[in-house]
Amino acid sequence: MKRIVSGIKPTGELTLGNYLGAMKRWAEMENENIESFYFIANLHAITVRQDPFQLRKRTFDIVAWLITCGVNPEKSLIFIQSMIPAHTEICWVLTNYVTIGELGKMTQFKDKVSKSSREGQVAGLFEYPVLMAGDVLLYDADEVPVGDDQMQHLELTRNIAARFNNLYGQTFKEPKGTVSKITARIMSLKNPESKMSKSETEDSYIALEDKPEDIIKKFKRAVTDSENQIRFDSESKPAISNLLNIYSAFSEKSIDEIVSDYKNEGYGKFKTDLGELVASKLDILQKRFKEIREDEEFLLKTIKRGNSGASEIADKKVSEVYEKIGLVYHRF
Ligand code: ATP
Ligand code: MG
């Protein structure tokens, strides 16, 4: 059985991109003979200053949303990164098996730095690929589903693993990165060249908790391409192609079917229908979410189960690593 590990940062409202590209997909994968570990990446969230109340609230929101989207906590482990000390422990160790040069080459870091000054950045932003390497290596993951922006970090993870294995004997599995399918990549409603992201401006994404009227409004205002014809062409018509992808995902109709349904229609009608479709589907999910979110006992039980499953594996890995490098390890 293949093991995959993946995380979501509680940095903002969950979006349609998170739902279609990750959470919905994760629920489907439970039928594919895959062992899955999903964590709320709250240690990653703090590389950007967060409001403490919101950070804590969103951490629990995401647990509830995962279950709402169909992830079964009896099949997959759902856990909270900060509650498993092994993540921070392994991170510090691995920090000493990576060079400043290697981290400085990470394009995500370079992009951030080029926008403002290097000196003013928090060191966590520079180091977070090491935390990420630890997240994955702790669990001997076979695969990590990542966006192409994360591929370089995964390569670094493999390099760190290989380096450690070379020095101390086989310790870490070198994980493979799998880039999610093109159809699962949802783009921003304001700029179809960049992906929909919860840390961008509000009108560029649909939040899973948006009100129906806001969803409809946002789709109406979504940018479109120049000609007023609905067809799929992600090169020359990225905006409409993105909307077609979303339509298809929510209607379970193929893109061809939708294109033929709207053969004689303009963008206006298409966008209104899409907004209504998504609003009605999200309304169902929102009701389910509310019930789950309010059942505190169930949520805590879920987290406890996930945390204990994860820490059992992660603690073993940390103790093996400590042993190998000569650090004293003991859990009282
Ligand atoms: P941030 O802007 O803070 O990075 P994000 O929206 O990119 O937020 P993450 O927490 O980084 O969200 O990612 C959570 C999961 O959602 C990952 O598996 C990621 O690949 C997936 N994901 C995020 N945005 C999209 C998108 N637009 N399309 C498809 N999948 C996405
Ligand atoms: Mg992201």
Side-chain angles (χ1 to χ4, degrees):
M1 193 143 72
K2 231 172 27 187
R3 184 181 285 172
I4 66 162
V5 173
S6 204
I8 297 199
K9 282 181 289 185
T11 40
E13 301 177 284
L14 291 170
T15 72
L16 269 194
N18 299 131
Y19 174 63
L20 297 176
M23 294 147 78
K24 181 166 175 261
R25 178 78 198 104
W26 294 350
E28 289 160 2
M29 279 187 328
E30 283 181 343
N31 307 317
E32 295 172 13
N33 203 30
I34 290 173
E35 190 184 14
S36 317
F37 290 46
Y38 300 122
F39 64 96
I40 319 306
N42 54 351
L43 294 173
H44 283 286
I46 63 167
T47 57
V48 173
R49 205 63 76 223
Q50 302 290 333
D51 173 69
F53 174 83
Q54 285 296 334
L55 179 59
R56 197 171 294 117
K57 173 186 167 292
R58 283 182 178 141
T59 301
F60 292 102
D61 286 349
I62 297 182
V63 174
W65 267 113
L66 282 171
I67 298 164
T68 303
C69 295
V71 176
N72 179 350
E74 303 201 2
K75 281 192 180 168
S76 306
L77 290 184
I78 300 175
F79 60 97
I80 296 177
Q81 190 186 25
S82 66
M83 294 177 88
I84 316 289
H87 285 258
T88 35
E89 291 167 339
I90 198 81
C91 176
W92 172 248
V93 171
L94 297 182
T95 302
N96 301 288
Y97 294 86
V98 67
T99 65
I100 292 172
E102 282 172 311
L103 291 178
K105 279 197 210 113
M106 296 294 111
T107 46
Q108 280 227 343
F109 178 71
K110 288 200 288 191
D111 286 352
K112 286 258 160 80
V113 167
S114 69
K115 284 181 201 152
S116 47
S117 96
R118 182 188 168 94
E119 306 310 310
Q121 301 296 334
V122 297
L125 199 62
F126 186 65
E127 281 183 27
Y128 99 86
V130 188
L131 179 60
M132 184 178 152
D135 297 337
V136 172
L137 298 179
L138 275 178
Y139 301 100
D140 286 327
D142 296 290
E143 273 184 33
V144 186
V146 288
D148 43 10
D149 57 329
Q150 293 292 333
M151 272 317 242
Q152 198 189 17
H153 293 156
L154 213 75
E155 197 174 320
L156 181 72
T157 302
R158 278 195 300 274
N159 290 341
I160 295 176
R163 183 171 303 154
F164 196 95
N165 290 343
N166 246 325
L167 287 166
Y168 302 100
Q170 185 58 36
T171 310
F172 296 122
K173 191 173 248 175
E174 292 171 38
K176 219 171 71 193
T178 45
V179 177
S180 44
K181 282 182 250 145
I182 303 291
T183 46
R185 198 155 176 76
I186 304 301
M187 310 311 278
S188 153
L189 298 182
K190 286 293 158 193
N191 171 17
E193 307 288 325
S194 69
K195 79 170 188 83
M196 185 180 282
S197 166
K198 53 180 140 67
S199 45
E200 292 301 321
T201 56
E202 231 172 86
D203 54 352
S204 73
Y205 64 79
I206 303 288
L208 295 185
E209 292 180 53
D210 271 347
K211 292 197 201 74
E213 59 270 27
D214 292 332
I215 296 173
I216 292 167
K217 211 181 326 166
K218 283 185 187 177
F219 275 117
K220 268 191 190 146
R221 291 184 188 156
V223 298
T224 42
D225 316 287
S226 51
E227 49 163 48
N228 196 20
Q229 191 200 8
I230 292 153
R231 61 187 174 84
F232 191 90
D233 181 344
S234 44
E235 289 288 309
S236 64
K237 293 171 72 72
I240 283 295
S241 301
N242 184 41
L243 298 183
L244 278 166
N245 262 332
I246 298 173
Y247 199 121
S248 171
F250 278 93
S251 63
E252 319 255 315
K253 280 189 187 172
S254 71
I255 304 254
D256 285 346
E257 263 177 278
I258 303 163
V259 168
S260 122
D261 286 352
Y262 286 91
K263 186 162 80 239
N264 303 316
E265 305 284 356
Y267 288 160
K269 164 94 171 112
F270 173 67
K271 291 203 285 185
T272 306
D273 290 356
L274 174 59
E276 282 168 5
L277 171 68
V278 173
S280 77
K281 298 280 177 172
L282 285 189
D283 187 54
I284 300 168
L285 286 179
Q286 286 171 4
K287 291 197 172 99
R288 200 186 301 160
F289 168 75
K290 196 163 175 285
E291 266 176 43
I292 296 170
R293 184 66 175 90
E294 282 168 3
D295 189 348
E296 198 150 313
E297 203 180 316
F298 168 72
L299 275 188
L300 291 178
K301 218 171 75 189
T302 298
I303 293 166
K304 220 167 157 184
R305 176 204 296 267
N307 284 358
S308 89
S311 56
E312 197 180 313
I313 298 169
D315 285 352
K316 238 185 243 153
K317 188 60 86 184
V318 171
S319 83
E320 183 188 343
V321 167
Y322 274 30
E323 171 83 22
K324 283 184 168 159
I325 60 181
L327 291 175
V328 181
Y329 181 89
H330 191 68
R331 286 254 196 277
F332 289 100

